[in-house]
Amino acid sequence: MDIFSLVTGRAGPSGFGSASTAEQVTEGIDASNRTVIITGGASGIGLETARVLALRNAHVIIAARNMEAANEAKELILKNHQSARVDVMKLDLSSVKSVREFVDKFLSLDLPLNILINNAGVMFCPYQLSEDGIEMQFATNHLGHFLLTNLLLDKMKETAKATGIEGRIVNLASIAHIHTYRNGIMFENLNDKKSYSDKRAYGQSKLANILHARELSRRLQAEGANITANAVHPGLIMTNLMRHSAISTRIFKAFTYYLWKNVPQGAATTCYVALDPRLKGVSGKYFADCNEMETTAFGRNEELAMELWDFSNKLVNSASKP
């Protein structure tokens, strides 16, 4: 979408645009036969995504690190939609152990899984390593979701085969993927504190979200699985995600107020890609303002996507060793 469309909210080819809300893009869709996991569904656009999908009758599982906030989110949804099906489960994406425990618990419930929305993340945080010794933004935004997705894939394939309903995986990326390190992904110096930039590290993790969806899509299509994988940019939204740079972000917003969205608008593209029937079979793409968009050259680099996949596997396997 061009700047004019972004500012005015003019609809694109999908019939929706930057001003569209999550409720608007899902109007008339019945998701009562869908089970959805949403990471980070306790606040911000994750909560709005959970609320709207529950409104469309999906069984929503909010996966969150803060269980108090997750339970409050559940109560908020039920207060406005008493028949909503909402459950909460503990998940810390920065921890390989927590991801594995979450998946084990979910699988023990013997529920179907139609849609996985990899929404949670951290942004612009000071340099720190996860408990597995991995740079925190990369560990939380990409690696945790990479492992979560891989561990849930068999359940999604099983569900798609048994129901005939296409499975969908949605990665929350960002336009910030354009501002990454020189070579895209710092495979050799991922944890280097000296070269760390909170903004570029965030951009790197969002580029990884796009490349993950691209390579995952290629693999799913190669085996004929009835599952799509896409990445989305939700837009510029003021949420708790920006708590590490609140002052500078507010100053930036004061000069670019016409580019920002509210939370219902920010959740629209996620809900559109997760539920819209017109996107059946559409996979490996990048969406913004509910329309397909082009990424940077890094985001379209198939070799980089495959290298990231192998690199991520090695990190996960290393972190999983006792």
Side-chain angles (χ1 to χ4, degrees), residues 308-320:
L308 175 65
W309 186 281
D310 292 339
F311 178 72
S312 301
N313 263 329
K314 290 177 182 177
L315 282 181
V316 166
N317 292 335
S318 176
S320 299

Side-chain angles (χ1 to χ4, degrees), residues 36-39 49 53 114-120 141 145 148-149 156 167-173 209-210 212-213 216 227-234 267-276 279 282 285 287:
V36 186
I37 290 176
I38 304 173
T39 68
T49 300
L53 294 186
N114 306 95
I115 301 170
L116 173 61
I117 298 177
N118 292 321
N119 165 85
N141 298 352
H145 283 127
L148 178 70
T149 302
M156 293 195 72
R168 296 191 180 184
I169 298 167
V170 184
N171 283 359
L172 269 285
N209 294 148
I210 292 171
H212 173 219
L216 177 59
I227 302 172
T228 62
N230 291 291
V232 304
H233 165 53
T269 304
T270 302
C271 291
Y272 169 73
V273 174
L275 288 185
D276 197 289
L279 294 183
V282 176
K285 306 299 183 181
F287 291 84

Side-chain angles (χ1 to χ4, degrees), residues 7 85 143 155 162 195 231 256 281 308:
V7 173
R85 294 177 293 160
L143 197 65
K155 171 57 71 172
S195 60
T256 59
L308 175 65

Side-chain angles (χ1 to χ4, degrees), residues 1-313:
M1 304 286 278
D2 55 33
I3 290 295
F4 178 78
S5 297
L6 181 61
V7 173
T8 63
R10 184 181 64 182
S14 69
F16 304 117
S18 61
S20 300
T21 67
E23 284 198 26
Q24 289 171 343
V25 304
T26 58
E27 186 175 359
I29 296 177
D30 178 17
S32 58
N33 56 355
R34 306 289 203 279
T35 298
V36 186
I37 290 176
I38 304 173
T39 68
S43 63
I45 59 176
L47 171 55
E48 177 66 1
T49 300
R51 183 189 73 81
V52 171
L53 294 186
L55 182 66
R56 302 306 176 214
N57 302 314
H59 180 187
V60 174
I61 293 149
I62 295 174
R65 181 175 53 184
N66 186 332
M67 290 302 288
E68 181 180 353
N71 281 303
E72 289 176 358
K74 176 181 176 178
E75 291 304 312
L76 178 64
I77 293 171
L78 291 173
K79 181 179 180 180
N80 295 293
H81 184 39
Q82 294 182 357
S83 62
R85 294 177 293 160
V86 183
D87 291 300
V88 299
M89 293 178 64
K90 174 81 172 179
L91 173 63
D92 180 354
L93 285 157
S94 70
S95 164
V96 165
K97 179 182 177 182
S98 177
V99 173
R100 292 190 180 280
E101 289 176 347
F102 170 87
V103 172
D104 286 344
K105 184 175 180 180
F106 174 77
L107 294 179
S108 72
L109 299 175
D110 198 27
L111 292 170
L113 181 58
N114 306 95
I115 301 170
L116 173 61
I117 298 177
N118 292 321
N119 165 85
V122 293
M123 183 178 186
F124 300 164
C125 56
Y127 178 84
Q128 58 183 305
L129 299 179
S130 70
E131 67 177 46
D132 301 306
I134 301 165
E135 189 277 307
M136 186 61 78
Q137 294 194 76
F138 191 86
T140 304
N141 298 352
H142 166 65
L143 197 65
H145 283 127
F146 173 83
L147 177 60
L148 178 70
T149 302
N150 280 357
L151 294 177
L152 290 171
L153 267 183
D154 283 344
K155 171 57 71 172
M156 293 195 72
K157 292 174 185 177
E158 174 188 307
T159 301
K161 186 175 181 179
T163 63
I165 299 171
E166 178 183 79
R168 296 191 180 184
I169 298 167
V170 184
N171 283 359
L172 269 285
S174 171
I175 196 172
H177 78 277
I178 67 176
H179 187 62
T180 184
Y181 293 106
R182 182 176 180 180
N183 296 318
I185 307 291
M186 291 182 62
F187 295 114
E188 301 299 325
N189 300 295
L190 183 68
N191 294 337
D192 183 49
K193 186 175 182 179
K194 185 176 181 181
S195 60
Y196 180 77
S197 160
D198 59 350
K199 307 299 188 297
R200 292 189 185 277
Y202 179 71
Q204 172 181 246
S205 71
K206 295 292 100 179
L207 171 62
N209 294 148
I210 292 171
L211 293 171
H212 173 219
R214 187 180 186 92
E215 176 62 10
L216 177 59
S217 173
R218 186 189 70 80
R219 289 169 177 258
L220 290 169
Q221 289 177 334
E223 66 178 90
N226 188 22
I227 302 172
T228 62
N230 291 291
V232 304
H233 165 53
L236 294 173
I237 307 112
M238 183 66 76
T239 68
N240 288 336
L241 189 64
M242 297 181 176
R243 62 186 177 276
H244 293 294
S245 58
I247 296 177
S248 60
T249 299
R250 290 183 187 280
I251 294 173
F252 174 65
K253 183 179 180 182
F255 290 95
T256 59
Y257 65 92
Y258 50 86
L259 299 177
W260 290 69
K261 296 182 178 183
N262 57 38
V263 170
Q265 292 169 339
T269 304
T270 302
C271 291
Y272 169 73
V273 174
L275 288 185
D276 197 289
R278 294 173 297 174
L279 294 183
K280 181 175 176 60
V282 176
S283 190
K285 306 299 183 181
Y286 172 68
F287 291 84
D289 299 332
C290 300
N291 288 275
E292 187 179 330
M293 300 285 285
E294 188 96 306
T295 70
T296 62
F298 279 141
R300 301 189 301 274
N301 190 317
E302 294 183 2
E303 291 184 0
L304 185 62
M306 288 187 278
E307 185 176 3
L308 175 65
W309 186 281
D310 292 339
F311 178 72
S312 301
N313 263 329

